Amino acid sequence: MTSTARRLLFFTALIVTWEIIFRVNLQTNFWATTLFPSPIGAVEQLYRGFFETGILRVALFESIQRITVGFILAVIIGGVLGILLATSKLADETLGSLVIALQPVPSIVWLPIALMMFQGGGGAILFVVVLGGTWAMTLNMRMGIKNVQPILIRAARTMGYKKTELVWKVMLPASIPSALTGARLAWAFGWRALMAAELIGRGGLGRTLMDARDFYNMDLVVAIMFIISAIGLTVEYFVFSKVEKRVLSRWGLNANQS
C-alpha cells in the first residue's frame, strides 16, 4: 500500500468514526449538538462557503495573500540576518543575543502594539506573520553557515577565495539544507501566527472562524479548521517534502525509508 493510500485510509477511518459518534450522540444527547458538529455538516458548510455565499473563498484568498507575503519577507529578512550573524562576530554577540531573546516570545503578543502602529489595518497582521517566521529562519541560517565543514573553507581559501566569495560560493550552498529547515519552520510559525492574529484582527479565515463561533455555527468552525489543516498538509507534502528530497539527494544526505 502506498503512503498516499495509507493516509487516505487513515483519514477516512477518522471521519467515519467521527460521524458514528455524532449519530450516537444524537440519540443519547450526551453533548449538545452545537458543541459536537457532524463532518457531513462541515462539508455542507464548505460547499456553501465556496460556491453559494463565497464567504470562505474570500477569506481563504485574503489569508493566502497574507501568508505568502509574510513568508517571503520572513525568509528574506531571516536569511540576511542569519548570514550576518554567522559571518560577523560583533553582530553575533550583540544582535544575535537580541534574536535569541526575542525568539521564544510568541509573535501574537506583538499584535496589540502592531494594531496601534498600523492603526488596525492589515499591516498589523502582516507584521505579526513576519515576526513569527523571521527568528526561526535567522537561527537556522546562522547555524547552517557556522556548521559548514572546515575542510571546505580551507580548500576554498587555498584556491584564492576571499571572504565574500567564501560566503556566496561555499558557505551559502553548503548551508542550503539548514536554510530549508528554517524556511519550513518559518512557514509553520508564520501560518500559526496568521491564524492567531486574524482571530483578534479582521479578515481572513481566522476572523471568519470567530464570527462562526459567535453565531454558534460549529459546522462552519470545523469547516474552516478543515481548510487550515488542508493547507498545512498541502504545503508540507507538495512543496517542502519535494524540495527536501531534491536537496538531500543533491547533497548526498538522503536515506532510504520504508
Side-chain angles (χ1 to χ4, degrees):
M1 186 181 296
T2 64
S3 297
T4 302
R6 285 197 294 265
R7 293 187 184 107
L8 289 175
L9 183 61
F10 172 73
F11 284 109
T12 301
L14 280 181
I15 293 173
V16 170
T17 303
W18 178 5
E19 180 64 22
I20 291 173
I21 296 174
F22 170 78
R23 293 185 179 276
V24 171
N25 183 61
L26 283 180
Q27 303 297 323
T28 61
N29 290 320
F30 186 78
W31 292 294
T33 54
T34 54
L35 300 178
F36 196 89
S38 163
I40 294 177
V43 172
E44 291 175 351
Q45 288 294 330
L46 283 173
Y47 179 83
R48 291 186 60 196
F50 276 104
F51 301 107
E52 293 182 4
T53 64
I55 293 175
L56 293 181
R57 186 171 62 249
V58 173
L60 176 60
F61 181 73
E62 190 169 3
S63 292
I64 291 297
Q65 276 187 317
R66 287 169 173 169
I67 188 59
T68 300
V69 175
F71 172 71
I72 292 173
L73 289 175
V75 168
I76 294 174
I77 296 171
V80 172
L81 278 175
I83 294 171
L84 177 63
L85 298 184
T87 56
S88 171
K89 184 177 180 181
L90 176 62
D92 195 26
E93 292 176 347
T94 54
L95 185 58
S97 299
L98 178 61
V99 171
I100 293 174
L102 292 176
Q103 196 269 337
V105 179
S107 58
I108 190 61
V109 303
W110 290 90
L111 185 61
I113 298 176
L115 288 172
M116 295 179 62
M117 291 171 53
F118 296 94
Q119 299 184 358
I125 296 177
L126 182 62
F127 178 78
V128 171
V129 174
V130 173
L131 279 183
T134 296
W135 309 136
M137 185 66 196
T138 299
L139 294 177
N140 276 273
M141 194 74 204
R142 171 187 175 275
M143 189 60 62
I145 293 178
K146 281 187 170 291
N147 286 340
V148 174
Q149 296 180 17
I151 190 172
L152 295 178
I153 298 176
R154 290 197 298 267
R157 284 175 175 164
T158 60
M159 296 172 63
Y161 282 20
K162 303 300 181 181
K163 186 171 182 179
T164 303
E165 290 179 310
L166 277 173
V167 173
W168 290 103
K169 295 183 179 181
V170 178
M171 294 181 178
L172 279 181
S175 65
I176 285 180
S178 292
L180 176 60
T181 299
R184 174 180 265 159
L185 291 174
W187 158 263
F189 291 145
W191 183 240
R192 293 173 187 174
L194 173 64
M195 292 299 105
E198 287 181 345
L199 289 175
I200 304 173
R202 60 187 183 187
L205 291 172
R207 185 67 256 173
T208 306
L209 187 148
M210 286 298 290
D211 292 340
R213 187 212 64 170
D214 292 339
F215 287 100
Y216 295 96
N217 189 348
M218 293 300 111
D219 287 336
L220 182 56
V221 169
V222 173
I224 295 172
M225 292 171 63
F226 280 168
I227 296 173
I228 295 171
S229 300
I231 292 173
L233 287 173
T234 300
V235 173
E236 173 62 29
Y237 287 117
F238 293 99
V239 178
F240 286 116
S241 290
K242 291 185 180 296
V243 173
E244 181 183 50
K245 287 180 181 178
R246 292 184 180 181
V247 169
L248 295 183
S249 177
R250 171 67 178 82
W251 265 255
L253 300 173
N254 59 325
N256 294 326
Q257 296 182 351
S258 57

